[in-house]
Structures are given as C-alpha cells and as structure tokens.
Amino acid sequence: MSALFRPTARRWLRAGVALGATGVVLLAALPAEAGDDQTNNTSSKLRAAVTPQGVAEHLKALDAIASANGGTRASGTPGFTASRDYVVGVLEKAGYRPQVQEFEFPFFRELAPAQLSQLSPQAKTYANPDDFTAMTYSGSGTAEGQVVAVDTDLTPVTTTPSTSGCEASDFDGFPAGAIALIQRGSCTFGTKALNAEQHGAVGVVIFNSGAPGATGSFAGTLGAPDVTVPVVGASFAMGPELAGTTSRLVTSTESEFRTTWNVTAETAKGDPNNVVMAGAHLDSVVPGPGINDNGSGSATILEVAEQMAKTTPMNKVRFAWWGAEELGLLGSEHYVDSLPADDLKALALYLNFDMIGSPNYVRFVYDGNNSRYPVGPGAAEGPAGSGAIEQLFHNYFGSQSLASEETPFSGRSDYGPFIAEGVPAGGLFTGAEGVKTEAQALTYGGQAGVAYDACYHKACDGIGNVNMTAVDEMSDAVAHAVLTYAMSTKTVNGSMKGHPVSAPDQEETGSPTGSGTQSGGGLHDDHDELLSS
C-alpha cells in the first residue's frame, strides 16, 4: 500500500510491449478453454477450494524470492522480476494465458542515509531524520560550499505561501557552486530543485515553512528523476541555522527510469462487455520484502484465480497484479490510461485487495457509499454501485458471524485510477500504520494502542509478519465476492445477464460453509504451521 496519495506524473509513464510480443498489451488474452467443469461454481465450493494452505504456499514463494534478491521485491529490482515470473508460471499452470504489460517508471532508492554538516564558522553535524532527510528522486553525490538563501528572509510564512525558488529570477546573482537554501511554499519541490540546479547550485536544502504544523523535518518527493544534485528536506530551524555557512551535503541514491510490469489474466468464458476485475499490487517497498504489503493480496487473488479456472462464469473475470504501486499507483494508472474507451466502458467493477494479513488486524471494507467517511481530503467519492459492493462484503462477514467496518477510499491503493474513471469499486484491507482502538480490540481481538501492522514498509514485513487467521477469513470473502460478480453484477450496474449467487448461509443447512475461523485475534497454531513448514 502506498504511504500517501501522490498524483501520478503521467508524462513519465512510458508504454512498453508484452514479453515475446510486438504490440502494446492492453487486455489479458484468453486462457485455454477449461471445458464445462463447474466444480467451483458456488460460493461454498469456491471458498472450500481457496485454502489458507494454498495462499501460504504463494506467500512462502514470494518471501523466498525476496530473500534471494536482497530482501526486496520492489519494482525495478530483480526481486520484482522474479515475483512477476512466479505469478506468470502459476497462472500458466492453471490454464491461463497471462499477459505482461511493460512500462517505464521513475525508480528511486536511497543506498545510504544522507549526511549534512556545517564546516564553518563552526563544525557541527546534523541529525537524519530529525533535522533533515533526503527527498525522493534526489540526485547522488557530495555538495560542499557556501549556503545561499534564495528569495527568503528566513522567517516563518504563515499567510501567503512562500514563492522561494519558484521562479528563475529568484536565482539572479546566485553564485555557481553554492548550496541553495530554499523555503517550502507554493510550487513543487521538483520545480525549486530544478531551478537551483540550472543556476549552478551543487546541492539544495528545502527548509519547512515555519507555519503551525510545518516546522519539523519532512520527506518530500521531486516527482521524477530530473535532478542530479543532492536535495534534502529540512526543519524550519535549519534555515536560519545554515544560511551563510559553509556546509557539506552528501546523498547516495539511485534515481533513474527503469522497466516494470503489470500481469493480467482472464477467464476464457464470460461476457466480455461486462468484465469483473480483481487486483492487488505485486511490488514491495525497497526496504522490505512486502509479504503482508502486498504479498497477502497478491497471493490471495492468485489462489482464487487458480480455483476459478474450474468455474464457468457468466461475466468475464480479469485478475491483475500491479507494478510500481509503492511509487504512486503507477501500474494501475498506466493500465487504466492504456485502455481504449470501449474496454474501459466494459469494466463492470474493480475489487482491490491490499494488505489482508495484518498481524493486529481489523476486517476493513472500503466505504463505497461514503456513509462513514464523507467526501473530503481523506476520502474520495465511491462511484455509483460501490455502495452495493461494500454491502456485499458486510453481508458476507455477517453470514459468518464476523464483524467488519468501513475504511475510506483514501487514494492509497490501486482502486484510485478506477474510481477516477467512474468504475464502481470496493475491496478489503486489514490495516497499515494506523493504531487499533480499544473498541476495535474488543471486537476483533488483538492489542489496542498498537499498529495494525508494526512492520508496515519495513524490513520486518516478512513471512512471520502475516496473520494467517486474517488471510483465511479475508480470502474466503475475496472468493465469495469474485464469484458473486462473476455470475451477476445486477446489484452494481444493473446488468441482468447471469444469475445471483446464493448468500453463504442459504446454500445449505448446518454450519457456515467457509473455511475461515470464526473469531478474531492472534495467530492460531495451525496457521503458524502453514508459514513455518
């Protein structure tokens, strides 16, 4: 899951070609015909076929890939390439013809922590990240020289945002070979840094505005690998501290365009004019293996796709594994941007599964009708039909005597490009860096006052970070939703084709039919064994 919403710089996404093909891939090709075997064509049968053992097998494979490739599966690294190949291989074995959509994206990795020190008039070393931190897409190298303030009087800006560094004229008289000291304000960090470099700056320090809530050190992004000199964000106090000094700034980064891929595969049968999509991002962040974020979602829909090969859907089902989500939803946005208008119109809905095995989990469902999270800075509007998707998940969990609650369309995952085009969307999430409340601990188990996933975006997000009880419960919900909409999307978009799937508690008498356990809380011993064996 992307750490925060960053509107994608679409100009940087460059279309590629499919592996072994000559044209740009827009849609998944058809898998080989699976015949009329309808073994898993009811919710109970598909949920029984989608097992935690099957999901765990994929999770262990992704963890092994990360371990063999420097502890990461980030797009632009060998670990992502190997993850792509693993998914393709599993899909081919299941009878699909997966398609690989190539595109270029702006890659960034910090190889060593940035350093900043004053050489004169006094020797002083500053703390990273308390005083400063490298900006995403900073150039790499050592900058040493006089620190020169650019169009700022070094005082807090509390009303009209500072334009420091926003115009080329701000650098009139700037001495080549100096380090530019620029105040945060009205234009992008990338604009400020580019202007500085083009006027001879060997390094850039962008200090905070000094407004209430904007005084500390901050991590920003330059938007793309355009700048070659070191660039850092710093606290407001660092502005007056550094101005006029001679200082040294050191960064060690990789900032360049690299190639990555989306993987898609779809069912042989089903209405091609009413397509149900289910997606998860396959990449991790650079610092970690990403087995909860988002091996859990990727492994789950891979298991569902395998078992869906034994169904005959009324609507075509397309599965997707996205690249470069962690740098701003780049893979899903590239895919949506690539779709011809008629193919975009054919999308009945999109289901997103990002982080569904958090160790201190809550069963979150995207708030499709904005009933709990009204449209605003932290919640996008769910397109028409999204409320019905939300309700399906709540109904499913209710049928299993499992609680669930809403989470907003915050723009942090791959539903973003779909809802921007008006495609109904929904999905599941078990929590990231947010902290579990007392009420949630009473409802779902686990620990109040502790993050849902304390290893979010960290090196410790390995196989031991996944709660298989959560995966078991959520994967059954995924299977139920995908099959429901594979058979009928009437409740979402009014399409009359197909027939509805019975509610889980109406398919047969007796106990609930899913394989999920019926309680929240911590790992169960049998689930621990799934990942340790």
Side-chain angles (χ1 to χ4, degrees):
M1 169 168 281
S2 197
L4 67 159
F5 180 70
R6 294 185 291 264
T8 303
R10 299 185 183 188
R11 62 193 174 94
W12 296 124
L13 296 183
R14 302 170 181 170
V17 298
L19 269 64
T22 58
V24 175
V25 176
L26 298 180
L27 294 173
L30 302 180
E33 288 290 331
D36 293 325
D37 181 4
Q38 297 187 20
T39 304
N40 294 333
N41 67 337
T42 68
S43 174
S44 60
K45 290 179 180 178
L46 182 60
R47 286 182 287 126
V50 172
T51 65
Q53 290 85 356
V55 178
E57 178 182 347
H58 300 316
L59 290 172
K60 287 187 282 188
L62 294 175
D63 188 65
I65 287 170
S67 296
N69 289 280
T72 185
R73 298 184 306 101
S75 276
T77 71
F80 185 82
T81 305
S83 299
R84 175 206 68 189
D85 292 344
Y86 175 76
V87 169
V88 168
V90 172
L91 291 168
E92 288 178 338
K93 186 175 180 180
Y96 293 89
R97 293 182 190 171
Q99 293 293 301
V100 180
Q101 182 186 42
E102 178 182 295
F103 62 96
E104 288 189 344
F105 76 105
F107 175 85
F108 178 78
R109 170 161 52 186
E110 192 172 10
L111 302 176
Q115 302 172 39
L116 178 59
S117 58
Q118 182 184 154
L119 303 179
S120 64
Q122 62 176 314
K124 185 174 183 180
T125 299
Y126 299 102
N128 181 348
D130 293 342
D131 296 323
F132 72 97
T133 188
M135 287 204 170
T136 302
Y137 302 117
S138 166
S140 187
T142 298
E144 186 173 315
Q146 181 186 9
V147 180
V148 177
V150 176
D151 190 29
T152 174
D153 62 5
L154 306 174
T155 61
V157 176
T158 58
T159 54
T160 304
S162 171
T163 60
S164 170
C166 293
E167 304 293 336
S169 59
D170 293 345
F171 294 87
D172 289 347
F174 184 85
I179 296 173
L181 181 65
I182 302 174
Q183 192 162 15
R184 186 178 187 175
S186 61
C187 64
T188 66
F189 302 133
T191 297
K192 294 173 184 285
L194 272 174
N195 282 338
E197 182 175 20
Q198 289 168 359
H199 287 82
V202 294
V204 181
V205 176
I206 301 176
F207 68 102
N208 220 333
S209 70
T215 59
S217 172
F218 65 96
T221 177
L222 304 180
D226 292 330
V227 178
T228 63
V229 300
V231 184
V232 298
S235 67
F236 171 76
M238 291 292 287
E241 174 94 5
L242 290 174
T245 68
T246 298
S247 295
R248 177 185 292 123
L249 173 61
V250 181
T251 57
S252 179
T253 67
E254 292 177 336
S255 182
E256 61 191 8
F257 285 107
R258 292 190 180 180
T259 298
T260 195
W261 306 268
N262 296 322
V263 178
T264 55
E266 62 182 27
T267 56
K269 295 186 177 181
D271 184 357
N273 296 311
N274 199 48
V275 178
V276 173
M277 283 200 73
H281 75 86
L282 185 58
D283 63 316
S284 73
V285 293
V286 170
I291 304 305
N292 183 35
D293 182 17
N294 183 37
S296 60
S298 293
T300 294
I301 65 168
L302 189 57
E303 169 74 356
V304 171
E306 286 184 281
Q307 305 309 325
M308 280 286 292
K310 299 177 182 179
T311 65
T312 304
M314 300 302 294
N315 301 308
K316 194 167 289 295
V317 178
R318 184 176 304 140
F319 298 95
W321 291 263
W322 308 116
E325 185 267 359
E326 294 290 4
L327 284 171
L329 321 182
L330 303 188
S332 54
E333 184 157 290
H334 176 68
Y335 177 83
V336 171
D337 284 351
S338 299
L339 284 178
D342 287 345
D343 293 332
L344 182 61
K345 186 177 179 181
L347 296 182
L349 58 93
Y350 174 74
L351 302 175
N352 193 72
F353 305 107
D354 188 352
M355 299 182 68
I356 56 173
S358 303
N360 195 30
Y361 73 104
V362 167
R363 298 177 206 95
F364 286 117
V365 177
Y366 290 121
D367 185 11
N369 62 5
N370 299 103
S371 60
R372 182 170 179 178
Y373 297 97
V375 178
E381 183 176 3
S386 302
I389 299 173
E390 175 194 348
Q391 194 59 52
L392 178 138
F393 282 115
H394 286 313
N395 289 347
Y396 168 74
F397 286 124
S399 76
Q400 305 298 296
S401 300
L402 296 172
S404 58
E405 64 182 84
E406 295 80 12
T407 190
F409 280 132
S410 63
R412 293 180 59 173
S413 195
D414 291 300
Y415 52 77
F418 291 91
I419 65 176
E421 295 294 338
V423 177
L428 302 175
F429 171 52
T430 53
E433 78 279 27
V435 175
K436 179 172 276 189
T437 66
E438 292 282 355
Q440 288 171 339
L442 288 172
T443 301
Y444 302 97
Q447 293 179 275
V450 175
Y452 305 116
D453 183 354
C455 287
Y456 173 64
H457 282 188
K458 296 179 181 178
C460 56
D461 185 16
I463 197 73
N465 190 49
V466 177
N467 187 322
M468 283 305 297
T469 301
V471 169
D472 190 0
E473 294 168 357
M474 303 302 261
S475 63
D476 279 350
V478 173
H480 175 69
V482 172
L483 187 68
T484 295
Y485 294 127
M487 297 305 179
S488 174
T489 60
K490 180 180 178 181
T491 60
V492 176
N493 65 356
S495 174
M496 298 298 293
K497 185 158 184 143
H499 58 84
V501 173
S502 299
D505 54 356
Q506 294 175 351
E507 290 182 350
E508 56 216 42
T509 59
S511 61
T513 56
S515 62
T517 52
Q518 301 303 302
S519 61
L523 284 163
H524 291 189
D525 290 342
D526 57 338
H527 289 149
D528 281 328
E529 292 170 2
L530 293 178
L531 296 179
S532 62
S533 58

